[in-house]
Amino acid sequence: MQSIKIQSVTAVITAFALIVFAFWASDQEGGKAAAFAFVCGAAFGAVMQKSRFCFYCHIREYIEDGDPRGVLSLLLAIAIGIIGYTAVMSSWLPSPSLAGSLPPDVHIGPVSEIVVIAGAVFGLGMALSGSCIGAHFYHLGEGSFESVAALVGAGFGFFFGFLTWNTLYSYRIAEAPLVWLPAHIGYGWSLILQLGAIAAVAAFVWRGFAARQGAATERKLPTAKEFLLSLCRDRWSFWIGGALIALIGIVALVRVKPLGVTATLGSWVRSIAGEFELIPAKLNGLDGFAGCGSLPQNYWFNADSLLLLGLVVGSFIAALAGGNFTIERTSFRALSLALLGGVLLG
């Protein structure tokens, strides 16, 4: 009980410090966007921690336990994101069929079998390390040493990726087609097609689950105090997490740019390796990548860095408020697997 009280007080103090820092940052030269990214990152980290939002964890629970709620929350986040992004992009580029026109600040990636191979490597990295890169950052706020090892490994993975980037990009990606559905079938049909596909997947994973759960029991409406305590201490519903993650992403897209939690890690690695001329100075096709770009940063006070800082701090506050912060005990084997998995993630 004493430990929970200490964590709660620390959470309040840290939250107050976060607010003060955000106001200070907004008053600095060019700090409006950076401060907003910091606040978005903090909200992102808190929601991820409270709802345990993690692609790998949710998919594993569905495969191993048959529990579809996590996968459904992922699908909900994607569906809300598609609706929001369509609304934003249709205002930026009302005529998507114009030849060569793409919405600004949004990455439309080449379609190639290499992307499938890369996804498989990333998936193996998640399985070995226990999470994706974004989830490892919020696990830092919970006191995870394995996430430290995974992120160090991801840094090395970025280095190897940058080292081989131009060769592999020229080999298969540079000439791959850019497929943006609205340019071919318009925003309306594109939205219907994507939401229809998501609905079909949701129906597949949801089948039979509701029947296994039985009839829902009637629940008493909590008092305001009970609600606030539950909000701080309890895990949030998968549905809430998925919806809030999508909304934060939409707000960030409109106000700053697409969220990219790996951008800062990539920038740090690229800056350090570039100082020693270990990697090419120019990475073809990557330097203009929106969202998770990795252009070298010469200073820490920027939107990408503060987004990442905010994510860890927000997760830390949420973990403290819920009594979930703990310095975990781990083994050499677990750290080694996390390091190896991190390399594959990077």
Side-chain angles (χ1 to χ4, degrees), residues 173-244:
I173 301 295
E175 301 300 324
L178 295 176
V179 179
W180 185 45
L181 287 178
H184 299 281
I185 59 177
Y187 288 116
W189 284 112
S190 175
L191 186 62
I192 292 172
L193 179 62
Q194 293 175 91
L195 293 181
I198 290 173
V201 176
F204 176 80
V205 300
W206 203 338
R207 69 195 192 289
F209 177 73
R212 294 199 306 269
Q213 298 306 297
T217 57
E218 185 177 350
R219 302 178 68 179
K220 181 182 69 173
L221 186 68
T223 64
K225 181 179 179 180
E226 289 172 341
F227 173 75
L228 290 175
L229 287 175
S230 174
L231 195 66
C232 293
R233 295 178 181 174
D234 298 341
R235 289 288 189 181
W236 294 354
S237 164
F238 290 121
W239 313 102
I240 294 175
L244 290 179

Side-chain angles (χ1 to χ4, degrees), residues 128-297:
L128 291 175
S129 68
S131 292
C132 62
I133 292 180
H136 279 305
F137 277 122
Y138 93 71
H139 287 317
L140 287 182
E142 297 175 330
S144 171
F145 280 121
E146 290 179 19
S147 289
V148 174
L151 291 172
V152 170
F156 283 104
F158 268 110
F159 170 72
F160 295 132
F162 295 149
L163 192 64
T164 58
W165 178 272
N166 285 340
T167 299
L168 297 177
Y169 181 82
S170 300
Y171 168 69
R172 201 62 183 172
I173 301 295
E175 301 300 324
L178 295 176
V179 179
W180 185 45
L181 287 178
H184 299 281
I185 59 177
Y187 288 116
W189 284 112
S190 175
L191 186 62
I192 292 172
L193 179 62
Q194 293 175 91
L195 293 181
I198 290 173
V201 176
F204 176 80
V205 300
W206 203 338
R207 69 195 192 289
F209 177 73
R212 294 199 306 269
Q213 298 306 297
T217 57
E218 185 177 350
R219 302 178 68 179
K220 181 182 69 173
L221 186 68
T223 64
K225 181 179 179 180
E226 289 172 341
F227 173 75
L228 290 175
L229 287 175
S230 174
L231 195 66
C232 293
R233 295 178 181 174
D234 298 341
R235 289 288 189 181
W236 294 354
S237 164
F238 290 121
W239 313 102
I240 294 175
L244 290 179
I245 290 292
L247 292 175
I248 293 169
I250 294 169
V251 171
L253 174 65
V254 174
R255 182 63 177 80
V256 188
K257 62 178 184 177
L259 284 175
V261 298
T262 62
T264 303
L265 180 59
S267 297
W268 290 345
V269 172
R270 193 168 170 187
S271 297
I272 295 171
E275 287 289 329
F276 295 95
E277 299 182 352
L278 298 176
I279 60 173
K282 181 181 180 181
L283 298 177
N284 301 323
L286 184 63
D287 290 343
F289 192 104
C292 291
S294 58
L295 285 171
Q297 303 281 0

Side-chain angles (χ1 to χ4, degrees), residues 4-21:
I4 294 178
K5 288 184 178 179
I6 293 174
Q7 290 197 23
S8 299
V9 172
T10 307
V12 172
I13 294 173
T14 308
F16 179 75
L18 183 152
I19 295 171
V20 171
F21 178 81

Side-chain angles (χ1 to χ4, degrees), residues 42-56:
F44 193 56
V47 172
M48 290 180 75
Q49 198 283 325
K50 294 301 293 183
S51 62
R52 203 167 55 82
F53 193 86
C54 170
F55 274 77
Y56 170 70

